[in-house]
Amino acid sequence: MIYIFCAPSGSGKSTMVNHLLTNHPNLFELSISCTTRPPRGKEVHGREYYFITVEEFQDRIKRDDFIEYEQVYEGLYYGTLKEEIARIEAAGRQVLFDVDVKGGINLKRILGDKATSIFICPPSIDELRRRLEGRGDTSPEMIEKRLAKAEEELSYKPQFDRVVVNDDLHHAFTQLDAIIGESTK
Ligand code: ADP
Ligand code: 5GP
């Protein structure tokens, strides 16, 4: 099974994905995307993302290297390489995707029953703002851009296989563990 995680930025997608990776290091592996945005905080090339230039990104589009890609924010491209799925499956692990909402819907359409799409929902927009500000690694301008986009992203929630409301963290982990348990039966 492949799991696709989507949510407005700051809702807790990375927290959910890291929960699975920490508890099941031999079962899951995160697909590393390409992006044209610069590294943030302690991010490392080849760990969080492959950080590439716009020219390289466009070159890879031409070579048909991406299973999907999006201009997630103005001028910033993000894309999933076909070879990531092959790499992770060859290692005998299940692929986790952390992608934007439109990318997630596209991946689910392409992968069909092989994938479960999971929408991580913030308890409210106010709480989303608090979390983005609390994370302390995103500029005020980017926080406003992300919040402006969140309302639209929330409207895509019904298109997902499963929804996890990330209010109390422990409760959200329990919901996620139940989803993973169900689909590994
Ligand atoms: P995303 O990957 O969706 O952008 P993160 O996982 O980075 O979001 O979470 C955004 C911030 O909110 C982080 O600082 C994280 O520690 C915090 N956070 C995540 N889940 C919760 C929660 N249930 N309650 C409070 N803070 C949370
Ligand atoms: P961030 O800049 O916070 O790391 O990511 C911004 C958004 O881009 C997040 O919603 C993240 O899930 C999304 N994203 C990351 N990689 C990809 C990808 O390969 N494809 C798409 N469509 N979105 C991605």
Side-chain angles (χ1 to χ4, degrees):
M1 184 52 76
I2 290 172
Y3 295 97
I4 305 166
F5 286 85
C6 296
S9 179
S11 306
K13 223 175 348 164
S14 312
T15 306
M16 295 298 131
V17 167
N18 286 334
H19 168 75
L20 294 186
L21 292 172
T22 307
N23 288 336
H24 310 279
N26 296 319
L27 197 56
F28 299 114
E29 194 166 335
L30 183 63
S31 161
I32 302 168
S33 297
C34 290
T35 182
T36 63
R37 80 152 165 77
R40 211 165 53 200
K42 292 186 178 146
E43 288 177 338
V44 172
H45 177 79
R47 190 177 68 193
E48 283 79 10
Y49 282 105
Y50 302 114
F51 295 100
I52 62 175
T53 62
V54 176
E55 291 71 30
E56 279 176 87
F57 202 99
Q58 282 166 347
D59 200 43
R60 300 206 78 160
I61 295 173
K62 278 194 211 122
R63 282 190 267 147
D64 198 25
D65 286 348
F66 293 113
I67 183 170
E68 67 78 36
Y69 68 91
E70 293 281 334
Q71 187 176 173
V72 177
Y73 301 101
E74 206 185 317
L76 296 183
Y77 291 89
Y78 293 78
T80 306
L81 294 169
K82 291 176 184 167
E83 66 199 37
E84 275 296 291
I85 302 180
R87 176 181 72 77
I88 295 168
E89 289 187 340
R93 301 205 176 93
Q94 301 182 44
V95 185
L96 304 182
F97 286 114
D98 170 340
V99 293
D100 89 316
V101 170
K102 285 186 187 152
I105 291 170
N106 282 337
L107 279 174
K108 172 66 188 177
R109 190 173 38 76
I110 295 162
L111 298 168
D113 290 343
K114 272 189 84 181
T116 299
S117 60
I118 305 173
F119 192 93
I120 309 296
C121 194
S124 67
I125 296 284
D126 284 347
E127 176 60 17
L128 195 59
R129 176 185 289 281
R130 275 192 288 277
R131 288 185 191 171
L132 281 170
E133 287 173 352
R135 200 167 62 183
D137 62 1
T138 308
S139 68
E141 190 202 341
M142 272 315 282
I143 289 180
E144 293 312 321
K145 278 196 184 161
R146 282 161 193 247
L147 287 171
K149 199 172 163 155
E151 301 267 9
E152 190 210 332
E153 289 170 325
L154 284 169
S155 71
Y156 290 100
K157 191 169 65 176
Q159 297 191 38
F160 284 76
D161 293 328
R162 307 303 299 262
V163 175
V164 171
V165 180
N166 181 19
D167 189 349
D168 172 69
L169 192 56
H170 179 72
H171 185 229
F173 285 160
T174 306
Q175 288 178 72
L176 182 58
D177 292 340
I179 293 170
I180 303 303
E182 272 166 32
S183 49
T184 47
K185 264 180 209 153

